[in-house]
Amino acid sequence: MATDYDAPRKTDDSENESIEALKERVPAKSVATDDDADNPGSFDLSAADLADVELDVVVLPPQEDEFTCVHCFLVKHRLQFDHETKLGPICRECAN
């Protein structure tokens, strides 16, 4: 059966809810605490100036049991290796 998606939809009053009723169902956003520090959903900079902030990042050299996939450019463990191409190694996820 063909469906005309441009036709106006027939609505049933019992199915429609007011905007106020929908807003009551949505939980209020809580203030982020130290426990939520790794939750990116609650991370808010709100125009903070980070020009003077220095980040300490430890960069490890490539390990013997790791490779970099030439398709997705992610560092993967050797267990994720699928095959080698002329360009380099391909991981299992990119090989599919």
Side-chain angles (χ1 to χ4, degrees):
M1 179 176 177
T3 303
D4 184 9
Y5 290 104
D6 294 329
R9 295 182 183 193
K10 297 177 184 176
T11 58
D12 192 11
D13 290 337
S14 63
E15 292 179 5
N16 292 336
E17 293 188 47
S18 67
I19 294 177
E20 289 79 22
L22 292 174
K23 287 181 182 178
E24 289 176 4
R25 275 203 238 160
V26 177
K29 292 183 180 180
S30 62
V31 177
T33 62
D34 290 337
D35 297 335
D36 296 333
D38 2 353
N39 184 1
S42 66
F43 190 68
D44 182 27
L45 291 177
S46 64
D49 184 16
L50 300 176
D52 298 333
V53 176
E54 292 185 24
L55 300 176
D56 294 328
V57 179
V58 177
V59 178
L60 298 175
Q63 304 297 307
E64 291 181 14
D65 60 345
E66 295 176 337
F67 70 98
T68 303
C69 176
V70 296
H71 188 264
C72 64
F73 302 107
L74 293 175
V75 176
K76 303 277 188 157
H77 191 269
R78 279 285 167 194
L79 295 175
Q80 294 294 319
F81 178 80
D82 189 71
H83 66 278
E84 185 84 24
T85 64
K86 291 190 289 185
L87 299 175
I90 301 289
C91 69
R92 290 182 182 179
E93 292 178 8
C94 294
N96 293 333

